[in-house]
Every structure is written in C-alpha cells, then in structure tokens.
Amino acid sequence: MTKVPVAILGGSGYTAAELLKILLRHPGVEIAMITSRQKESIADLHPFLHCRLNMDCEPFDPDHLQRRGVAAVFSCLPHGASSSCIPPLLQRGIRVIDLSADYRLRDPVIYEQWYHEPHQDPHHLAEAVYGLPEIYGERIAQARLVANPGCYPQTAILGLAPLIAAGCIHRTDIIIDSKSGVSGGGRTPKLTFHFPECNESVSAYGIGVHRHTPEIEQVLSDVAGQKVEVIFTPHLIPMDRGILSTIYVTPTRPLEPLELQELYQRYYQRQPFVRLRSRPPATKDTLHSNFLDIYVQAVRGGRLIIVTAEDNLVRGASGVAVQNFNRMFGFEETTALL
Amino acid sequence: MTKVPVAILGGSGYTAAELLKILLRHPGVEIAMITSRQKESIADLHPFLHCRLNMDCEPFDPDHLQRRGVAAVFSCLPHGASSSCIPPLLQRGIRVIDLSADYRLRDPVIYEQWYHEPHQDPHHLAEAVYGLPEIYGERIAQARLVANPGCYPQTAILGLAPLIAAGCIHRTDIIIDSKSGVSGGGRTPKLTFHFPECNESVSAYGIGVHRHTPEIEQVLSDVAGQKVEVIFTPHLIPMDRGILSTIYVTPTRPLEPLELQELYQRYYQRQPFVRLRSRPPATKDTLHSNFLDIYVQAVRGGRLIIVTAEDNLVRGASGVAVQNFNRMFGFEETTALL
Amino acid sequence: MTKVPVAILGGSGYTAAELLKILLRHPGVEIAMITSRQKESIADLHPFLHCRLNMDCEPFDPDHLQRRGVAAVFSCLPHGASSSCIPPLLQRGIRVIDLSADYRLRDPVIYEQWYHEPHQDPHHLAEAVYGLPEIYGERIAQARLVANPGCYPQTAILGLAPLIAAGCIHRTDIIIDSKSGVSGGGRTPKLTFHFPECNESVSAYGIGVHRHTPEIEQVLSDVAGQKVEVIFTPHLIPMDRGILSTIYVTPTRPLEPLELQELYQRYYQRQPFVRLRSRPPATKDTLHSNFLDIYVQAVRGGRLIIVTAEDNLVRGASGVAVQNFNRMFGFEETTALL
Amino acid sequence: MTKVPVAILGGSGYTAAELLKILLRHPGVEIAMITSRQKESIADLHPFLHCRLNMDCEPFDPDHLQRRGVAAVFSCLPHGASSSCIPPLLQRGIRVIDLSADYRLRDPVIYEQWYHEPHQDPHHLAEAVYGLPEIYGERIAQARLVANPGCYPQTAILGLAPLIAAGCIHRTDIIIDSKSGVSGGGRTPKLTFHFPECNESVSAYGIGVHRHTPEIEQVLSDVAGQKVEVIFTPHLIPMDRGILSTIYVTPTRPLEPLELQELYQRYYQRQPFVRLRSRPPATKDTLHSNFLDIYVQAVRGGRLIIVTAEDNLVRGASGVAVQNFNRMFGFEETTALL
C-alpha cells in the first residue's frame, strides 16, 4: 500500500498526541512532519512516544510541507491560529482536517457573535465541510477542508438527529446537560484545571454562552430543514476523558418504545461507530475508542431522555478526524480505529 | 452545660462516621451509645476515630438505650431496618432523627409505589416531620420523629423553593439533572462502586425511577400549595463527596435578574446555611461543610438555570441531622456546624 | 494467514477484558471460546465490547475446547482455580498461558510457605516456563505451559536484572517500594477497593508477606546464579492502572553513570518493550501499552535508585501474555502490541 | 477570653486557606488582617469562605500590622519572599510562625548548598526554632520566630525519632520513600500539576536532590546527638492531600515487637497528635486532621519498616502551625485542632 504523507500542525497538545497514537496504527499513513513552536523531540513532549516515534517538531512553513509531499494536514492548532495557517495549505493543494473550531460555523456573523471577534478567513467558511461522518459522510469524501466537529456537539447531535430528522420532537425545547473530563480543556495549565482545584469537585461553566451551542444548532437545523434551538450546559468532571450528555426533549406525539428503537436503528444502520445501547452507557464503555453510545428512554409525561457517551479525545476529536481522513483518502472507514 | 445523651444506630456506615465527627465537636452532646451488628470498636470501623472516641458498638436494644438515659437517637440504619427499630424508641419517649428514607413520604401509597413494598410503620408516617429546616423549621423544633431529608432532594428543593413559593414557574416543567460523588451509594461494596469501575467514568442511573423523585415533589407541592412534578436524573461522578444539581425551569412571566436575586435573598434571609452565589458554585466550595450554595441565571428564551451544590454527607445527611437536633434541643442552629 | 484458535478461561475479570482488547487487534488469532461461570454475553460483562465481539461465555469443558480445535488457552482464572483446569488441557495437547500465580514458583515447598496451602498440581511445576520474555525468551518459544509473570515482579525483575547479572550490587540489600493502581486487586468488590475507601488515599499492604516476593527472588536468583533476597512493599494508589517501583540497591563497587547506562543498554538491546529513560518515568507514559520503562540514578553514598513503570493490566498481565503467545506461535514479538 | 489578633501573609494559597479554616474555629484568635498581592476579597480567592469570613486582602506593610495590634503573624509566603518580610516584624515585637522553608535550616552553608542561593536573612537563622512540637516543644513556647516544619520531614522525623533517640538503628542506612498528594505542590498552575497530566499517574521526583533532605537530617542529628544521613525520595500521587512515608531502617541489634512498641509509646506518651497504630495506616485515616499516624513492623533479616501518614495541609503545614501558636500563646495544645 502506498502511504499518504501527512503532517500535524501543533504537536504539543492532547489532540495531537491522540492523533499520533492512532496514526501509528494506520497502515496507509506516513507521518511526514510535525510542527510546533516547541522545537523539541515529539517524544519529549509526549513521553509515551519514546521508542515509537523518533521525530523533532519543526516550525510551520507551507512551502516546506509541500516540498515534503504532504497530502493531508491535521491542524491541532488552537482556535484562531488554525485559520491563519490553513489558507496557504489549501492554495498548495493540500487537503486539511482542522481540529480547531475555526471553520465549523458557516455564518461569519454567528461566528463573531459567539467568538467575539471577526473571522479571519471568511473566504473558506462556505467551502468547509462539517466533519461529522454520520451526517455529512458523502460531502466529507470530496472535501478539501474538513472542519472536525467539537467534542460536545457530537454527543448532542448524534443523540438527537434521528428524532429531529423524524420531526417528532419540539425543536425549541431541547436541554443538553453535558459532563466532560478535564482533557477537554486542553494542555495549557490554568487554575481551573489545576489538580487540587478540579479534583473531587464538579461544576457547571459557560452557562448560556458556550461556543458549542451554535455548532449544535447549525447541524441540527440542517437535519431538521428548519431552525433548531437548544439549551446547552457543560460541566467539568474530575476524570481525564469522556463526555456524557443527558438530553431532555419533548415529543410532539406519543412514541412507543419499539418505535423509538427502530427510529434510531434505521438512522444508524450503516454507521460502524454509533452503538445503540439497551442500558444507560458509562463513559468508560467508550474510553480510548471511537464509539459513540446512545441510550433513549421515555419517562413520565412522555418526555424523552437520551444519554450519549464518548471519549472526548478519540471520538470527540482525533478519532473522528481519522474517520474523516479515511473517507477523504479512500480507506475503509474503520481503519486504525478498532 | 448539661449534655444531651445521644445514641447512633448503625454505626458502620458513612453517615454515622460523619455524624460522629460533627458530634465530637458539639459542646452539648454526650455520645452515650453506638449500635451495630459489627460488635467492634468504633475506631476499628472508622480508623480516623483512633484516639478520639474509644467505644465499642453494641447490639440494638431499646430498653438498654432507655436505661442509659438516651434522649435522642440518630438512626443511620438502612432503609427498612430503620422503621422496625424506631417505634419502640418513640414509645419510650426518645426523640428520633431518622437518616434513612423510611419516614420521608407521608403517603404510604406513594411509598409502596416507589419502594415496591408496603410501609412497615404507617402509623408514624403522619407524625414524622420532614427535616429540612429551611422549610419546616418551626415544626422540627417540636417533633418527636424527624425524617432527615435525602441528599439529592435538598439540592433540588432549596434550589426551587423560592420560585415555587412565588408561583412564577411552570410547576410541571422542571428538570433536575444531578451529579453525585460515590459515597452517596453507601459503604457496602458493589461492582458499581468498585474503584476501577466508577473511577474515570460518569453515568446516569435510576432514570425515571429514582426514589428521591416523590420526596422532591412532596415538599415542593407543600411549598406550592398544589401539585408539582419533576423529572429527576441522578449521575454517578468519580469523587468521594458532593452533589451538584443543574435545574432547568420555565418562568410563567419574564423575570429580571434583580428580581430573581431579591426573590432568593428574601426567601433565605434568616437561613445560616444557604449561600446565594454570584458565580456558579463548585461542589468543592461546600466540601465538609453544611452550606448549600445556590446560583441562578436566566438564559435564552427566558428559561432559568439554577445550580446548587452541597456536600452529600454533611449538608446532605449528617450535618442537616445535627442542624435538626440543634433545633429540637434548643441549641443555636449552627452549633458544631461551622 | 491461518489464524490460531484461542480460548480464554475466566472471561469476567480485568485481565480477560484487556486480553480481548489486544487479541481483537491480532491478525493471527481467532477467539474461539470464552469460558465463565457467568453465562452472559461477553459484551454484557464488558460493555466496551458491544459491536466488537458478539459471543456468549460458556462453561469450562476441556473436551469441548478440543472439539473446537483450540490450540492455545489463556487462563484468566483466579489462583487455585487455574491449576485445576490446566492439566486436562495439557493432556489434550493444548498449549497454555496461565495468567494466575499457580505455576510461577518452581518449588512446591516455597509455594506452600507463601500461599499457605499445598500446590494442587506439583507435577507440572517443573515444566512450566516463567513467562518473562526478556529473561526466558528462548524457553518460552518451546513451552507447553507458560506461567505468565506477576505485575509487580516484572517491574522489580527487569529493573534489577542488568545489575544482578553483572554482579555489581549486594544481593541481599535490595528494597523494592511499589505503587499500584486499584485494578491490580481484581474485579471482585471488596471494602478495600470500594471507591470512597481507596480514593483520595494511599496505603501500604502485605508488608513483609506479599506473595510476589518469592517470585521476584526466584527469577533474580536465576539471573544471579545464586540466592537473591529482597524486601518488597506494595502500596495501593487511587488510580485505575499503573505500577511504579522505586528500587534501592547498594553497589559492591563505584559505578560511573556512563557504565550504568551501557550496562542497561547492552542487557536490553534486543528487547522491543523495555525503554531506558533519561528522566524518571510516570506510569502514565506506559498507560495502555506493553512498554516497561526504566530509569537509574546514583545518589549519595553511591547507592542506586532504580525507577520502573508499567501498565499493570497490559505489560503486567495481558500484554506480556500476548508477547509470550507471539513467541510460542511464531508471530513477530510485537504483533498486536504496538 | 481576650483574643490574640493575628495576621496571615500570603492569603491566596492552600496553606493560608487551611489556616483560615482552623483559625475560624479557634476561640482565642481574631483574624485581624490578611495580606496578598491579589487585593481581592478572601472569599473570592477561597470560595468556601463565603458567609464565613468577609475580609479583603491588603498589601503587606509592617507598620500597618503593628498599628492593628497584630501579635502573631503566620507567613504563608513562598520561600524567599518570607525571609524578606519577617525581619521588620520581629523588630516590631511581633512573633512569627513561618510556614515557608526559609528559617528551617540553621546552617546558611547547608541552605545555600540545597537552595542554590545565599540565605537572605542569616542573622535570624540561629534564633529560629524548628516548629516540631514533639521534638522542640519547650523551646517553641518561648520562641519569637518559629520555622514551621516541612510536610515530608514531619512524617520522616516522627517515624524515626524514637529509634534514633534509642540509638538502636544504623544512622546512615535510612531510606524514606514518600508519597504525597498534589496540593503539596502549591496553588500555582504548572504542567506537572495539570489534572490530565498527574491524574491516573504516579511518578518520583527530586530524586537525590529534594530540599527536605537536609531538614530531616538536621532534626534527626539533633535527636541522635550525632550525624544522621538519609536517602529521601518523594512521589506525586493523584489525590488532593495526604502523605504516606514508608521508611526502611536496619537495627543495630535484634528488636522484639514488644520492645519496639514500648519504645514508641514511651516516646510519644504525652503527645496528643501522634497515634501509634496496630495496622498500617491509610492517609485517609488522617484526612483533614492534625494527627500523624505511625506503624512499625519488623520484616525478614531484622530490618524494620515504618509507615507514617498525615494530611499534608493540616498536620503537614497549617495544623501544626496552630499547634505551635497554641504553645506560644498559652492555649491548650489541641485548641481548634480536634
């Protein structure tokens, strides 16, 4: 098999580490380059890579990437930094999977409203494909620029899509209460993520203003064909990884358990990484895997509770990035992910 | 000060341990007796008590308690066991604070519906006072039998009471999403609470069927003067202690931030253990304390999000039990609790 | 590639779960059978296996295994149970890798001294090969019965072997202070491993009497060609996985840093899973991998401190079991392990 | 009771928070002032203080402290900063308990050797009393300047003192392997203490060079009347609080268990905060308390293993600081500490 030469931008964080772990198992990938401002050996940045990957990080230079024959770039740069590096890559014919939030929102007005600054590269916003394979699978295969989805949004969107698509719930009465491990906050030390602060504690944050809200709404509105609105509240949980979302919705008509079950089964029948569970999942069931688990139950008054679980660094970031890569470069969707 | 001789029934669990820790600081209490089927030294059951409390556990015997002059009993027995021990104590004129769920629901029909067995002592149900001082403070002072409130219900009830009392939210559109540390599950080893199962994981449980649901509804209906219905979903969080409840409600009319704030301040103005916070609380802020913290915020569409936090073993169980004891025996409400 | 049909005995515990995770990635293995007294679907026992392995556990029956053509058995049964199932398998020509402690000690007298009961199958003790590939690699390839090594012993033995082989430390002045995650204690709920007991706490256990002591001494004595004695103290750490061993030894002559380094490099030059580190490793560097990391440093008075780290379920149990399997069945040593 | 007005320097860290928690329970203390460069309300820095302490932090000014009538200062400033603030306080007749390391080592040459910079206030080194009440109790009562002991050293010194005083172990063959919770590293965010880095991991650090080594040796040499040398290796454990030290020593003559036991009992008979345990302690037994637990056991070859446990923020810092304060100002030694 000829291997696809790939580069990773921003090698020092958790999504880059997870991506490298997955790509080292990918038979069709050659890691051609890793960029970082920290010009260290990648194994010094991520000690688990000792004896597995012997490579120094290099400064970002689009010409340099081109000369190395890089065909695909995974950008693990922070929001903002990503959209300043990606245009020159697209110009050179390099396909990009962007793990930052920069190209997820199609509308620059909504971007500015939630990110409080104008978008740096509105030109490519329309072209970017939202990288959720279960929703936009066909378009991802052809995309030059894939906006890899946020960790929280996937748990919300995939938990709700079958109901939204079937038009059987109220589109503006949706509550998403999410619980995430600390790695979702990135690798930069902050008081919030200092061990003695967040260990043995749970708290809500970003109430009413979290930037994943418009991302969830944009995709669900695509699925619905009309505007969907959600209330989204994230919480910080004292664990490394994992997101559990508990979603509360109101059906527009009574739904029998069997009907519910079939609705979900039909929607996800060809999706290798969505698992419909008959009991509420624990995030641990999905740890270090690319699976997203879904459980649905009707409760008093007909309301539905949907519980979804994923590993925020694999399914929520680097795993789905490789799933997108597999679609873009003609590999079996599950390659390196099982 | 003459000391009140108290006994603790069921000394081996976490609520008994926490109670002992608090009572050892109480200037008006003499620990006269601890019962347990495990006839060990209490310090062998709870090693933190070495050199602090030198006492052996004894079998339960109501005559024995009476002969020792016990005036107050804290029952830390499991649900079911409690209601078989309490009647003979009441008969002997001993006042009881029951930390189990046995006397919390006034209606034996509702009890049977949620606990799937008939109540063993329906006779005393009507007499028992629900031990939430912020709601039933006056009655607690006079009570012979106090049903100490559940850990989850307190976070829900105190978060909602001001709005319910003011009649400004829809009484059947209330969602309570709660997150609890593992000690809430008690001290009996089970796979669910085995460290490698629940560590690094979060999960929902008891969806739609958790027994704290009718408890919350009973008290809120008292506050409202009419029927209140809630959706309550508990989650297991990898930490020792702490409950955070995120509550979603819909106002019946627009509420200004200032009005909201005053509503809560007025309702809790004389309550030493309710703190109104201007930022979302972390459970750690309340760790090992009897405080219950409340934060309220309006979000899109006018919906309100209320976040409440407590330590499930102190405020959620043994701390509020001592708060009740203080009211019953004429001590300052905060004695031993600050 | 024709696949080797393998069976796993005792499918409900953590080592079986980890083994299945690894074997599902092994191109040369067919999982033919899983036995357990719990006749459940394996995915109900280990929910991470949903959609990955659809198989029910079956009762143990050696004839049944033979009829299925099973060529290799991994026994994940508890100590004692393993040695009662293995003889009939060997009789039927099935090769066995035993993850229990039953065949690790060659001398039944020493077994009885540390396990306080006579060995059930002394007949096969002499034949069993201790499954530490870095020490007994040649013999493992030919073995019918491999006694997979203990989790702690590997960190002690591999940390000490180069020094012991070179004869440059005092053989009876060796202190091994080990720290282990809770999964090392197995999956059976016990108060010791109940989350609120062991979380936020560290303690020593088995001081002076832990059964891994004679195992460490047997192998190091093999390496030395004469009797080696160690002091071994294990500790329980509030984490799922990982063992860190801090080892204190006294050289018989001064050792220069460079000499030390070369000694270790030479000893492990062909070993793909031993990493010599230039800084003290964290157990997290080895999490979910088959690597064992070693760091050596001379301190005051010439004494040496050796720090070793591994994942107790992979390198410490199921990973090294597959490494042994690879050697026994002619696969590349690293197959399914990178 | 007239209250002693006290000030706390450096109010933003963990030792200050713990100190405030204890002092709020002290009937003989008035918190007159808290200094910090962060001029915030103390309850904003430490949210658990809401409704408990309503006070703003102020800049440090010795005249200001004097005018407020402050009689005692607890310095929670970082190493280095402390010794620049303390001289002007002593000059003004204010007694100081310094929780930093600045005045712990009597010899400025040894200070410079381990801290790699000259001491800023060598003048007061000789006067400072090392604040370990079980060793220097008499002198502490009279001291103007108490150097509060390090968290690790207390576990080492108190575990060894009875044996050292009795002269029955080899004074240069002492190994101290310590395990500490993360709060020991302070409250400043660093990658090492970032939750996803140190959670689910254990590692050794400061091997051979940790600054608590000379502190342990100085005190044990005082006890011995001659030079004592130790090997000290600290480890970082994924928990908030607690230190467990496992200490390995070699007796100079055989010691019977009973003799050992009596040796320790005699040495600590009047010490209210040292508990001799008959089973190995867990750090959790001492959590949030001022107790230091000790367990001793002889193992093979006559070697002794001593296990000690404490809460690093209470007994290891702020609790013992109040114990010292109680001795200095004539309070019962246990005031506010039980």
Side-chain angles (χ1 to χ4, degrees), chain A residues 114 172-173 175-177 179 196-197 199-204 207-208 213 217 229-231 233 235 237-241 244 246 248 280-284 295 297 299-300 303 305 307, chain B residues 114 172-173 175-177 179 196-197 199-204 207-208 213 217 229-231 233 235 237-241 244 246 248 280-284 295 297 299-300 303 305 307:
Chain A
W114 290 84
T172 57
D173 187 16
I175 288 167
I176 302 157
D177 189 284
K179 296 93 180 161
E197 298 289 314
N199 185 45
E200 288 293 294
S201 194
V202 51
S203 56
I207 299 176
T213 310
E217 293 181 344
E229 259 186 42
V230 304
I231 301 282
T233 314
H235 297 77
I237 303 295
M239 59 185 189
D240 279 358
R241 296 157 167 247
L244 191 91
T246 312
Y248 303 85
T283 56
K284 206 163 211 172
Y295 170 83
Q297 182 185 320
V299 293
R300 277 206 304 184
R303 215 186 277 256
I305 297 182
V307 181
Chain B
W114 290 84
T172 56
D173 187 17
I175 288 167
I176 302 157
D177 189 284
K179 297 92 179 160
E197 299 289 313
N199 185 45
E200 288 294 295
S201 195
V202 52
S203 56
I207 299 176
T213 311
E217 293 180 344
E229 259 186 40
V230 304
I231 301 282
T233 313
H235 297 77
I237 302 296
M239 59 185 188
D240 279 358
R241 296 156 166 246
L244 191 91
T246 313
Y248 302 86
T283 56
K284 207 163 211 172
Y295 170 82
Q297 183 185 320
V299 292
R300 277 205 305 185
R303 216 185 277 255
I305 297 182
V307 181

Side-chain angles (χ1 to χ4, degrees), chain B residues 2-228:
Chain B
T2 70
K3 299 196 172 194
V4 179
V6 310
I8 289 163
L9 309 189
S12 65
Y14 292 135
T15 53
E18 200 60 35
L19 197 49
L20 288 165
K21 195 184 294 179
I22 297 167
L23 292 179
L24 284 171
R25 282 185 175 146
H26 199 300
V29 162
E30 180 214 338
I31 299 166
M33 198 174 177
I34 305 169
T35 78
S36 173
R37 281 176 307 182
Q38 298 172 264
K39 287 170 215 164
E40 290 178 56
S41 138
I42 190 69
D44 283 347
L45 289 173
H46 304 296
F48 79 91
L49 287 171
H50 276 294
C51 300
R52 300 220 49 205
L53 186 60
N54 189 2
M55 194 175 238
D56 284 333
C57 294
E58 302 175 60
F60 173 71
D61 175 345
D63 289 329
H64 199 166
L65 265 87
Q66 193 174 27
R67 281 197 300 274
R68 295 267 183 91
V70 165
V73 159
F74 293 92
S75 172
C76 298
L77 294 168
H79 308 323
S82 214
S83 52
S84 68
C85 292
I86 286 173
L89 297 173
L90 296 175
Q91 236 174 338
R92 283 160 180 78
I94 298 173
R95 297 171 83 182
V96 177
I97 297 164
D98 180 20
L99 282 80
S100 86
D102 284 355
Y103 295 94
R104 292 183 195 153
L105 298 177
R106 274 194 302 268
D107 183 342
V109 174
I110 291 180
Y111 180 90
E112 193 168 344
Q113 180 185 330
W114 290 84
Y115 285 80
H116 309 301
E117 53 184 8
H119 197 278
Q120 294 183 24
D121 180 27
H123 179 64
H124 289 105
L125 276 190
E127 179 187 351
V129 177
Y130 190 81
L132 193 51
E134 288 80 4
I135 307 284
Y136 303 102
E138 297 298 300
R139 296 188 49 209
I140 289 165
Q142 316 303 326
R144 278 207 314 166
L145 171 55
V146 166
N148 211 56
C151 50
Y152 285 122
Q154 296 189 66
T155 62
I157 295 164
L158 296 183
L160 287 162
L163 295 169
I164 292 282
C168 58
I169 57 169
H170 287 286
R171 284 173 297 99
T172 56
D173 187 17
I174 297 173
I175 288 167
I176 302 157
D177 189 284
S178 295
K179 297 92 179 160
S180 173
V182 184
S183 63
R187 206 184 182 191
T188 306
K190 288 180 193 161
L191 190 60
T192 314
F193 309 132
H194 190 54
F195 188 94
E197 299 289 313
C198 59
N199 185 45
E200 288 294 295
S201 195
V202 52
S203 56
Y205 67 98
I207 299 176
V209 301
H210 196 281
R211 294 162 169 186
H212 283 172
T213 311
E215 196 178 322
I216 297 167
E217 293 180 344
Q218 169 180 287
V219 180
L220 290 179
S221 299
D222 277 4
V223 173
Q226 46 188 322
K227 192 149 183 47
V228 173

Side-chain angles (χ1 to χ4, degrees), chain A residues 208-245:
Chain A
V209 300
H210 196 280
R211 295 161 168 186
H212 283 173
T213 310
E215 196 178 321
I216 297 168
E217 293 181 344
Q218 169 180 287
V219 179
L220 290 179
S221 299
D222 277 4
V223 172
Q226 46 188 322
K227 191 147 184 47
V228 172
E229 259 186 42
V230 304
I231 301 282
F232 166 61
T233 314
H235 297 77
L236 193 64
I237 303 295
M239 59 185 189
D240 279 358
R241 296 157 167 247
I243 290 179
L244 191 91
S245 287

Side-chain angles (χ1 to χ4, degrees), chain C residues 177 196 217 248 284 300, chain D residues 173 177 196 217 248 284 300:
Chain C
D177 189 285
E217 293 181 344
Y248 302 86
K284 207 163 211 172
R300 274 204 310 183
Chain D
D173 187 16
D177 189 284
E217 292 180 345
Y248 302 86
K284 206 163 211 173
R300 276 206 307 186

Side-chain angles (χ1 to χ4, degrees), chain C residues 165-181:
Chain C
C168 58
I169 57 169
H170 288 287
R171 284 173 296 99
T172 56
D173 187 16
I174 297 173
I175 288 167
I176 301 156
D177 189 285
S178 295
K179 296 93 181 162
S180 174

